[in-house]
Amino acid sequence: MHDLRAIRENPESFDRGLARRGLEPMSSTVLDLDSRRRAAQTQLQEMQARRNEAAKEIGLAKREGRDAQPLMEEMAQLKERLPQVEEEEKALGAELDGLLASIPNLPADDVPEGPDESANVEIRRWGEPKAIADAKQHFELGEALGLMDFEAASRMSGARFTVLKGGLARLERALADFMLDIHTGEHGYTEIAPPLMVRDNALFGTGQLPKFEEDLFRTGDHYLIPTSEVPLTNLVNDQIVATEELPHRYTALTPCFRAEAGSAGRDTRGMIRQHQFWKVEMVSVTAPDQSEAEHQRMTQCAETILQRLGLPYRVVTLCTGDMGFSARKTFDIEVWLPGQSMYREISSCSNCGDFQARRMKARCRPKGEKQTQFVHTLNGSGVAVGRCLIAVLENYQQPDGSILVPEALRPYMRGLERITA
């Protein structure tokens, strides 16, 4: 959510930020609604005060034997008009809140400008892509091994689901355990087992609602989480935390559920884009002056996973046209996939500044002070388990169709060195 005071003080800066996002200026619309709502609030307060004052005057007039009829008529008019003004103030407030809730976070000053992923800026690369003759894609490898069954998944669930068997099912579990052990044991994250179903207020807090409801799966009064960013970030929903205790770092392994409403025709084969997938998520809650350093640290934590697995990757800064709704700056980590002969996203690490905190009313207070300030929130994949499995399959494929298990994973695979049919 955006700071109305900041928009009032510098509407030009707000409009420049929107322009960088490819949006039309909106400050005049926001400020007009704000002005009308505040005027309605003032009118309401004045009418309520006059009602209270008139009630006293009526009582005094009756005690003194004076004619109270004019005052009683005024009171009747106030009682009739007050609900109308209350409704007007409420409607203007709802309209303003709805407008502000639909506006994405403004990009940080150093975010590159551009309309789409073509304008993303590469920062660094790690590892050399392997030269693999006649490299196959993960679904070709998995199906040939008889351990990846899309047809069975389709019979029970439809498109964009997968059944993993045997060595590949174990590999997925091993990858998740491996990631959690590193993030909790080496990087200081606290492991959380969060709810997989949340109410709409939690999704509003992190920015999925109301704008992206079509990408969510709903069941009754709850939604299935599209990422554990939602419950992890909402751990500080409507809370005031001690500034000296920050940063808070959380990690979780959960299934994620996404409708992929806008992905018709994209990655229809294989496991790249699924309705259900596993992900290890990282979330940090920081003081405002900590978030930029925490953003770099979080990205490096995700990179550690790929380095230990020997998977080549690159890190890019997303441009203004490719960033997510709640992010003010995002680093994507893209892993090399020999079967596609290209880098594909495997982790997205975003600094959201105070954008989510304002929606959640999440604040911090220094010890001994009365004044609070909004915390900053960050989230990142540490990493997407299914996509990491894809990367391992394609980068460790052997000429005979088997998959070599990366050394770092072998303790998690009970010593298994190779996955075969």
Side-chain angles (χ1 to χ4, degrees):
M1 193 74 83
H2 293 279
D3 182 359
L4 261 176
R5 183 187 303 174
I7 299 173
R8 292 188 200 114
E9 292 175 352
N10 198 341
E12 295 82 5
S13 175
F14 179 68
D15 285 338
R16 282 196 299 271
L18 293 178
R20 297 186 68 213
R21 278 278 199 171
L23 299 174
E24 295 295 322
M26 301 180 75
S27 64
S28 60
T29 303
V30 170
L31 294 178
D32 176 63
L33 273 173
D34 179 44
S35 176
R36 290 161 56 199
R37 182 190 63 170
R38 288 193 292 160
Q41 288 173 334
T42 300
Q43 183 183 9
L44 186 60
Q45 290 164 2
E46 290 174 347
M47 292 175 69
Q48 290 168 336
R50 178 55 191 155
R51 177 191 59 187
N52 296 337
E53 183 182 345
K56 294 177 183 177
E57 292 177 1
I58 290 171
L60 181 61
K62 287 182 176 180
R63 285 194 300 272
E64 294 178 348
R66 291 184 286 109
D67 182 10
Q69 187 60 35
L71 289 169
M72 293 175 67
E73 290 176 357
E74 181 186 0
M75 177 70 82
Q77 291 173 356
L78 284 170
K79 285 184 175 180
E80 181 180 353
R81 177 67 178 140
L82 265 170
Q84 300 171 6
V85 178
E86 287 176 342
E87 187 61 35
E88 180 185 357
E89 188 274 335
K90 187 184 298 183
L92 287 168
E95 187 177 355
L96 178 60
D97 290 344
L99 176 60
L100 290 173
S102 71
I103 300 173
N105 202 353
L106 302 184
D109 291 340
D110 60 348
V111 171
E113 290 193 34
D116 51 41
E117 61 184 15
S118 64
N120 294 343
V121 176
E122 183 175 315
I123 304 171
R124 57 183 174 271
R125 294 191 181 200
W126 185 91
E128 287 294 326
K130 300 175 182 178
I132 301 177
D134 192 28
K136 294 180 172 57
Q137 295 196 55
H138 67 281
F139 51 84
E140 297 172 302
L141 295 162
E143 288 179 322
L145 289 169
L147 303 179
M148 189 177 288
D149 194 337
F150 297 102
E151 196 274 332
S154 179
R155 289 201 310 271
M156 66 181 88
S157 303
R160 298 192 187 279
F161 290 93
T162 308
V163 171
L164 296 179
K165 303 175 182 178
L168 292 191
R170 180 185 291 183
L171 179 62
E172 184 175 56
R173 177 159 50 95
L175 283 165
D177 286 345
F178 170 72
M179 295 172 196
L180 286 174
D181 282 354
I182 290 178
H183 293 320
T184 58
E186 300 181 24
H187 297 152
Y189 286 84
T190 298
E191 184 174 353
I192 303 292
L196 303 182
M197 299 169 65
V198 295
R199 294 182 298 191
D200 55 3
N201 66 297
L203 288 154
F204 176 84
T206 46
Q208 283 81 14
L209 287 178
K211 193 173 181 63
F212 302 104
E213 183 161 14
E214 66 174 5
D215 287 322
L216 302 171
F217 286 110
R218 183 167 188 168
T219 171
D221 293 332
H222 293 79
Y223 293 84
L224 299 176
I225 61 170
T227 163
S228 57
E229 169 203 345
V230 177
L232 294 183
T233 309
N234 273 278
L235 289 173
V236 292
N237 185 343
D238 203 21
Q239 300 294 302
I240 299 176
V241 299
T243 302
E244 56 271 19
E245 295 178 1
L246 299 175
H248 290 174
R249 298 182 177 118
Y250 306 117
T251 187
L253 167 68
T254 67
C256 304
F257 306 92
R258 297 185 186 176
E260 295 292 348
S263 300
R266 297 179 60 190
D267 299 308
T268 53
R269 290 206 64 187
M271 292 177 56
I272 289 284
R273 203 173 297 275
Q274 299 270 276
H275 289 313
Q276 173 190 312
F277 58 94
W278 291 91
K279 181 155 68 83
V280 171
E281 185 76 2
M282 303 176 292
V283 161
S284 294
V285 179
T286 77
D289 61 354
Q290 298 172 331
S291 66
E292 290 191 17
E294 185 71 12
H295 193 196
Q296 297 287 345
R297 182 188 189 275
M298 176 180 282
T299 306
Q300 291 164 6
C301 290
E303 290 180 67
T304 299
I305 302 299
L306 303 184
Q307 291 173 7
R308 299 282 178 87
L309 294 173
L311 298 173
Y313 65 86
R314 68 176 185 174
V315 181
V316 301
T317 303
L318 297 193
C319 72
T320 54
D322 199 30
M323 285 198 311
F325 179 82
S326 296
R328 72 185 304 266
K329 186 174 183 178
T330 299
F331 297 127
D332 265 12
I333 304 174
E334 299 176 346
V335 70
W336 176 254
L337 297 183
Q340 294 190 18
S341 193
M342 64 187 299
Y343 290 97
R344 295 298 302 265
E345 177 200 337
I346 196 170
S347 173
S348 192
C349 298
S350 297
N351 183 355
C352 299
D354 65 3
F355 183 81
Q356 293 176 325
R358 289 181 180 279
R359 299 169 77 102
M360 295 189 301
K361 298 181 177 64
R363 294 152 290 168
C364 61
R365 178 190 289 128
K367 186 176 182 179
E369 295 187 15
K370 293 183 178 180
Q371 190 68 29
T372 63
Q373 57 186 159
F374 289 105
V375 298
H376 281 196
T377 59
L378 304 95
N379 63 81
S381 311
V383 294
V385 179
R387 292 198 177 192
C388 197
L389 181 143
I390 290 169
V392 168
L393 292 184
E394 295 198 10
N395 281 277
Y396 284 90
Q397 60 182 290
Q398 302 300 303
D400 63 359
S402 64
I403 308 298
L404 196 66
V405 176
E407 287 189 21
L409 282 182
R410 291 175 187 175
Y412 296 86
M413 296 285 288
R414 300 178 184 174
L416 185 68
E417 297 183 2
R418 188 182 296 264
I419 298 174
T420 58

